[in-house]
Amino acid sequence: MLRAGLTGGIGSGKSTVARRLVRHGAVLVDSDVLAREVVAPGTEGLAEVVAAFGPEVLDAEGALDRPALAAVVFGDPGARERLNGIVHPLVRRRSAELIAAAPADAVVVQDIPLLVEGGMAALFPLVVVVHADPEERVRRLVELRGMPEADARARIAAQAGDDLRRAAADVWLENTGAPAELEAAVDALWSGRLVPFEENVRMRRPVRGGPARLVEPDPEWAAQAARLAARVAAAAGERGRGVAHTGSTGVPGLPAKDVIDLQLGVDSLADADAIRDALRDAGFPRRPEIDHDNAKPTGSAPWPERYHASADPGRPVHLHVREVGSPGWRHALLFRDWLRADADARAEYLAVEREAEARYGDDPNGLRYSEYTEPWFDAALPRAESWAASCAWSPSLH
């Protein structure tokens, strides 16, 4: 199955998106609904809340008096932390039960209002953020929910800002226009990305590279790589030794193929094999037919690696898993850092890539393109090594 995280600020229209996705067939796990369920009358959750905050948080019928509880915790970080420590584990446990019960081919959408604030983005193969301007959100909260304006503004101010949400978002849904516009965007997300993404993960099928076409530098590449690297690191767990953004998109200002190259370091390829399924479930199936990289200079013994690629049709990713300190691991970081530092080398490399594109840009799998650029790397290696020696370079993940 595919698990997608859905979030957005209060009043952004997140619930509208969730309902639309359910109409298409998504399995919804709504954290707000579960947060109410786990403290319903007779539950262990309600008993723990009463033990922590006293019987004053109950109404006349013995149910949780939410306004009374909110008055206790809203302005008290310590009280809010105690409440979260009770409710959040119960919600996580119930969420896991619902996910386990979902069909094997399900698209599970987890609606989590505080996904960003809770640092949970890296735990999902895809994160969808619903956005609306703060003033529009205030209007909705006041007019549609009857919330006092001061309370609405305070709730918005207490949540993550747009910058943090953008950093977490694989998909950014604007909800400031007509309802039909949002519906169309959700429909396109479902059919064009979520459904094929789920099938690719389930079938262990990475997205294949297409023709090698260069595009102008995208200022979003670095943020995308950081988000994807966090996802890879979370999947690798203790076996991972850091994730680096490599390749041409890792060189600011350099035109490149619109593919994010990542390198995951491990102590051994046995560790790489041990995390194969975890990487697949995170959205990066392995391509087992590729078990080495071309050594430099050409003709040397191949450099062993494990190669994974994204199952997400909306974001091509090449993920190379290499032993830390191995020649292939070092080479990827060396050339990235040299090209970052040397404008002449960047211009020279770009000219080679432009020529490769002119000759083989229509090659459906890009192999001939890559073969054309190999001699340049062979010839440039001594200069890269000389640069590294001159500045006492050492490999860095940044």
Side-chain angles (χ1 to χ4, degrees), residues 49-102:
V49 169
V50 172
F53 299 102
E56 296 81 9
V57 298
L58 295 176
D59 63 18
E61 285 73 39
L64 185 63
D65 185 335
R66 293 184 177 277
L69 180 61
V72 172
V73 305
F74 186 70
D76 184 341
R80 189 162 60 247
E81 186 175 341
R82 289 198 302 276
L83 178 62
N84 290 341
I86 296 170
V87 175
H88 288 181
L90 296 173
V91 170
R92 285 194 293 269
R93 187 173 72 190
R94 182 60 179 143
S95 295
E97 293 171 354
L98 294 174
I99 293 167

Side-chain angles (χ1 to χ4, degrees), residues 6-352:
L6 173 65
T7 193
I10 185 171
S12 63
K14 176 173 51 65
S15 297
T16 301
V17 171
R19 287 193 296 270
R20 189 76 178 181
L21 289 171
V22 169
R23 286 184 58 185
H24 282 294
V27 173
L28 178 63
V29 178
D30 189 325
S31 292
D32 274 348
V33 171
L34 297 185
R36 292 177 178 273
E37 177 184 309
V38 299
V39 292
T43 61
E44 63 174 288
L46 182 59
E48 291 185 40
V49 169
V50 172
F53 299 102
E56 296 81 9
V57 298
L58 295 176
D59 63 18
E61 285 73 39
L64 185 63
D65 185 335
R66 293 184 177 277
L69 180 61
V72 172
V73 305
F74 186 70
D76 184 341
R80 189 162 60 247
E81 186 175 341
R82 289 198 302 276
L83 178 62
N84 290 341
I86 296 170
V87 175
H88 288 181
L90 296 173
V91 170
R92 285 194 293 269
R93 187 173 72 190
R94 182 60 179 143
S95 295
E97 293 171 354
L98 294 174
I99 293 167
D105 61 349
V107 174
V108 176
V109 175
Q110 291 184 244
D111 183 338
I112 305 177
L114 300 181
L115 183 150
V116 173
E117 292 85 345
M120 293 178 274
L123 304 180
F124 294 90
L126 193 80
V127 172
V128 180
V129 173
V130 186
H131 174 260
D133 294 332
E135 290 304 316
E136 172 62 17
R137 292 161 59 194
V138 170
R139 184 193 67 78
R140 292 172 183 170
L141 294 173
V142 172
E143 295 182 6
L144 303 180
R145 300 194 193 180
M147 187 179 295
E149 181 176 338
D151 288 355
R153 294 189 182 279
R155 296 285 184 92
I156 291 172
Q159 293 184 333
D162 286 349
D163 289 345
L164 289 177
R165 288 201 182 95
R166 282 192 182 276
D170 299 291
V171 178
W172 184 266
L173 292 177
E174 283 289 349
N175 184 25
T176 54
E181 295 177 8
L182 181 63
E183 292 176 357
V186 175
D187 295 347
L189 169 64
W190 176 263
S191 61
R193 195 161 184 178
L194 292 175
V195 170
F197 195 174
E198 183 284 319
E199 184 176 330
N200 287 341
V201 169
R202 177 165 38 87
M203 301 300 293
R204 306 185 182 189
R205 182 173 60 209
V207 175
R208 300 285 177 159
R213 294 293 185 184
L214 300 181
V215 300
E216 290 305 302
D218 186 342
E220 293 297 316
W221 280 337
Q224 291 173 4
R227 184 164 58 248
L228 293 159
R231 195 166 287 152
V232 169
E238 294 181 353
R239 295 181 186 271
R241 294 293 178 266
V243 186
H245 182 196
T246 57
S248 296
T249 59
V251 181
L254 182 66
K257 293 174 287 184
D258 188 18
V259 177
I260 301 294
D261 282 279
L262 298 176
Q263 176 172 264
L264 168 63
V266 291
D267 287 334
S268 70
L269 291 183
D271 287 321
D273 292 336
I275 59 177
R276 179 197 62 190
D277 290 348
L279 290 174
R280 177 203 67 202
D281 292 344
F284 306 97
R286 184 181 165 192
R287 290 185 59 182
E289 73 275 16
I290 300 177
D291 61 3
H292 68 274
D293 198 7
N294 293 330
K296 306 292 181 295
T298 300
S300 304
W303 292 336
E305 70 166 10
R306 298 293 183 262
Y307 176 68
H308 295 244
S310 175
D312 179 2
R315 172 28 71 200
V317 177
H318 296 165
L319 174 59
H320 303 268
V321 187
R322 298 178 175 123
E323 293 181 357
V324 171
S326 67
W329 178 88
R330 181 181 182 279
H331 185 273
L333 298 173
L334 170 62
F335 267 84
R336 180 202 65 183
D337 291 351
W338 178 49
L339 290 175
R340 285 177 175 178
D342 191 321
D344 291 338
R346 285 198 304 275
E348 183 181 316
Y349 176 56
L350 178 59
V352 172

